[in-house]
Amino acid sequence: MAGHAALQGRYDYIIVGAGTAGCVLANRLTENGRTKVLLLEAGGSDNYHWVHIPVGYLYCIGNPRTDWMMKTAPEPGLNGRSLAYPRGKLLGGCTSVNGMIYMRGQAADYDHWRQLGNAGWGWDDVLPYFLKSEDHYGGKTALHGAGGEWKVSRQRLKWDILRAVQEGAAEFGIMPRADFNDGSNEGSGFFEVNQRGGVRWNTAKGFLRPAMKRDNLTVLTHAETESLVLEGRTVRGVRVRHQRRLTEVFADGEVLLTAGAINSPRILEQSGIGRPDVLKELGIKVEHESPGVGENLQDHLQIRTVYRVKGARTLNTLVNSPLGKAKMALEYGLTRSGPLSMAPSQFGMFTKSDPSLETPDLEYHVQPLSTDKLGDPLHPFPAITVSVCNLRPESRGSTHVTSREMDVQPEIKLNYLSADRDRQVAVQSLKQARKVMTAKALEKYQPEELLPGPAVASEEELLRAAGNIGTTIFHPVGTCKMGNDEMAVVDTDLRVRGLDRLRVIDASIMPKIVSGNTASPVIMIAEKAAEAIRRGA
């Protein structure tokens, strides 16, 4: 798939990765009709029905057509388990396979980035970039945009059991909230989603398709970038493998890495940019020492508790009934609503693990379905999943190349639960989830704990259980962090420190993870970077 399929040798900008950020940049940098841009995507097209039917995320994650099929290293904090680590392998990147939740995070997240020395990245600085591309169902207000490329909709289905959880949470002080995206997300509510008319909305639809009508954009899929072309301290272009040929392509302006928190540091290391000890061990010549490349890896660990319920409509019973399946298909076919239009999580809560905290550090994703583990069949009885994650993990991991071969994935070490504070929060969150499920509003459903199970009682047992049932919520960030210290890879305009004509623009630049889902913050980052690039040009 290509706007103009033939490589022409020279471009103003080369964008590596047509994912969440890359599609935004391709649109913004070609708006003037003159700037020549090449967008390279190692995966394929998003033209696949399960990408667009919202519940199809179940068939996109773990599918080699749409997922890079990565795995983490065995995690000591997860009792030695290795996790599947999905990453989008197609146009739109992770916005083509994610949970579609529209979430900015908290104002305090961005104000903290600014306090770390990243001028221009406080909440008041970044809010205009969220608004710029937003098309909110509620229309234009001081806190929401209208008419932009990024669709934000209400969900098109309801579950009585989730309403009951919301009522129950209120008994313990977690009160309903009208808007999770006004800078404070404390409370409970039904997630807004990136959909249009009950169909997934990804950055390929919102940003890339309109830009592909322009003569100055070239888009190549199945084009894998092997390394950067360096001339001293200046990045001149990329080496890309396309149609079984390795080709050098050059940028008169800049190369923009938008390959994500795992693959952007990978491309840097394959180009000789990173930690000297990592590079020398693989026989890669050190072109530029940058000790922070691949370090500072952060992610949200999700602890999945499961409760069997009685007398409740859940996805479990619908999926396990031929009649239920037929009804779901008919409802979606006729109205683009019902269970096939559902995001993985419909209902969420933001609250504190400790009342002394200034802002919430826990996010709940409550789902009207259950399974022994992600990827397994749904249980044949009604049940719900009450997942809770620590929004501000102190554990830090890393990702580094282990081979010069392109088909060998980098090593991904999250070091989940390696920090004392994270272990404390894990135990506290399990206790809190249990407490919510004892609410009077839920009594008629007779919730019965299946995971981790009522026999798990002591703090030691709860911590071990967290290690057994914890899983990624797919939010890796931080591996090319922005800042001014020696571990910072990029500056506040996202230029790679010490090199010319190279920027990294994706979740890897976050110095600390945001307090929520990460897709829309990455769109904001790309919007802000596009403006900086045009200003610099």
Side-chain angles (χ1 to χ4, degrees):
M1 178 178 186
H4 309 281
L7 286 172
Q8 297 170 12
R10 303 200 77 88
Y11 297 84
D12 294 307
Y13 297 100
I14 299 173
I15 303 170
V16 180
T20 307
C23 291
V24 177
L25 288 166
N27 184 303
R28 297 297 183 232
L29 295 179
T30 57
E31 281 177 330
N32 65 13
R34 299 183 305 275
T35 304
K36 285 179 62 179
V37 173
L38 172 64
L39 176 61
L40 300 170
E41 169 54 41
S45 168
D46 64 332
N47 185 21
Y48 178 45
H49 66 285
W50 284 126
V51 169
H52 308 294
I53 299 172
V55 81
Y57 74 93
L58 291 168
Y59 307 101
C60 290
I61 287 176
N63 179 345
R65 175 173 177 167
T66 50
D67 181 2
W68 284 108
M69 306 289 288
M70 293 182 176
K71 288 189 174 294
T72 70
E75 287 287 331
L78 302 186
N79 305 323
R81 290 187 300 131
S82 170
L83 301 180
Y85 213 64
R87 299 282 85 203
K89 184 187 176 184
L90 68 171
L91 295 177
C94 290
T95 66
S96 296
V97 299
N98 70 0
M100 295 162 280
I101 291 173
Y102 179 68
M103 189 66 59
R104 297 172 181 170
Q106 299 168 9
D109 300 333
Y110 303 100
D111 289 342
H112 185 54
W113 289 8
R114 183 184 59 208
Q115 290 157 10
L116 291 172
N118 297 296
W121 287 89
W123 173 251
D124 290 340
D125 302 307
V126 303
L127 181 58
Y129 298 101
F130 280 112
L131 301 179
K132 178 179 173 64
S133 51
E134 187 179 18
D135 187 18
H136 194 270
Y137 68 88
K140 185 175 177 59
T141 66
L143 289 167
H144 288 288
E149 294 83 359
W150 196 227
K151 306 288 183 187
V152 181
S153 302
R154 281 195 179 109
Q155 296 185 66
R156 298 164 70 90
L157 72 166
K158 292 182 171 63
W159 302 90
D160 290 342
I161 183 69
L162 298 185
R163 290 284 180 195
V165 174
Q166 184 173 41
E167 291 169 17
E171 296 174 28
F172 299 101
I174 305 172
M175 305 308 294
R177 182 178 197 90
D179 189 354
F180 280 141
N181 290 297
D182 61 3
S184 171
N185 50 21
E186 187 164 9
S188 73
F190 289 82
F191 292 122
E192 296 171 345
V193 290
N194 297 118
Q195 294 182 8
R196 185 176 73 171
V199 177
R200 175 190 290 276
W201 192 255
N202 60 5
T203 56
K205 291 178 187 174
F207 295 90
L208 185 57
R209 290 293 187 295
M212 289 179 69
K213 298 172 184 175
R214 301 168 187 158
D215 292 338
N216 55 328
L217 175 63
T218 301
V219 182
L220 288 187
T221 54
H222 304 292
E224 195 162 9
T225 298
E226 292 202 351
S227 62
L228 304 169
V229 177
L230 283 97
E231 188 179 288
R233 294 291 187 209
T234 302
V235 175
R236 297 295 184 190
V238 300
R239 294 181 187 89
V240 58
R241 189 169 296 280
H242 182 246
Q243 296 177 347
R244 300 183 181 179
R245 292 176 54 193
L246 186 63
T247 306
E248 289 190 351
V249 193
F250 299 95
D252 293 327
E254 295 178 291
V255 172
L256 311 172
L257 275 187
T258 58
I262 305 302
N263 280 323
S264 282
R266 174 187 188 174
I267 292 168
L268 289 174
E269 289 185 332
Q270 287 170 332
S271 307
I273 301 163
R275 276 177 42 186
D277 59 319
V278 171
L279 304 178
K280 288 176 181 175
E281 189 173 332
L282 295 176
I284 299 173
K285 180 185 175 186
V286 179
E287 300 286 354
H288 177 63
E289 183 175 340
S290 183
V293 171
E295 298 295 318
N296 192 46
L297 176 58
Q298 302 156 60
D299 189 14
H300 290 140
L301 178 69
Q302 175 176 251
I303 301 173
R304 296 175 58 255
T305 75
V306 172
Y307 288 82
R308 185 169 183 157
V309 292
K310 293 185 177 177
R313 174 176 172 265
T314 74
L315 192 64
N316 290 13
T317 44
L318 292 171
V319 163
N320 284 292
S321 154
L323 181 60
K325 284 181 178 177
K327 283 183 176 178
M328 287 191 296
L330 184 63
E331 185 175 9
Y332 189 76
L334 293 175
T335 67
R336 291 291 182 265
S337 62
L340 295 190
S341 73
M342 67 185 266
S345 299
Q346 292 82 56
F347 174 70
M349 301 186 290
F350 291 84
T351 187
K352 300 169 184 174
S353 64
D354 182 331
S356 67
L357 294 172
E358 287 189 20
T359 58
D361 66 331
L362 297 179
E363 178 181 9
Y364 285 80
H365 293 80
V366 187
Q367 304 159 319
L369 55 88
S370 70
T371 178
D372 287 334
K373 67 176 187 296
L374 294 177
D376 280 6
L378 298 185
H379 290 138
F381 47 79
I384 64 170
T385 299
V386 182
S387 297
V388 57
C389 71
N390 177 0
L391 291 169
R392 294 197 203 94
E394 294 182 2
S395 301
R396 294 292 180 270
S398 63
T399 177
H400 293 293
V401 291
T402 59
S403 170
R404 300 180 72 168
E405 298 300 318
M406 292 290 290
D407 58 354
V408 177
Q409 78 150 67
E411 183 177 56
I412 303 168
K413 289 184 178 178
L414 276 301
N415 295 331
Y416 292 121
L417 301 178
S418 59
D420 287 342
R421 171 70 182 157
D422 293 357
R423 293 193 290 273
Q424 293 165 12
V425 171
V427 170
Q428 214 36 49
S429 64
L430 280 169
K431 290 180 177 179
Q432 189 184 86
R434 276 180 171 170
K435 190 175 180 181
V436 168
M437 294 304 292
T438 66
K440 290 179 182 176
L442 287 161
E443 283 180 354
K444 69 176 181 179
Y445 296 110
Q446 301 176 49
E448 174 193 347
E449 183 179 327
L450 299 181
L451 283 178
V456 178
S458 71
E459 294 205 346
E460 184 179 337
E461 289 170 332
L462 285 167
L463 180 60
R464 181 161 186 82
N468 285 334
I469 62 178
T471 188
T472 175
I473 202 167
F474 321 130
H475 295 165
V477 310
T479 50
C480 296
K481 79 164 189 168
M482 169 175 59
N484 303 298
D485 61 283
E486 66 173 11
M487 296 298 285
V489 178
V490 299
D491 66 15
T492 55
D493 280 333
L494 311 189
R495 296 170 296 207
V496 174
R497 296 165 63 84
L499 293 174
D500 296 326
R501 298 191 182 185
L502 177 64
R503 298 187 206 228
V504 180
I505 305 167
D506 54 36
S508 69
I509 67 92
M510 294 186 187
K512 292 193 75 171
I513 196 166
V514 292
S515 300
N517 310 73
T518 51
S520 293
V522 171
I523 290 174
M524 174 276 292
I525 287 167
E527 290 279 25
K528 197 171 188 306
E531 185 174 285
I533 292 164
R534 289 182 298 198
R535 187 173 62 240

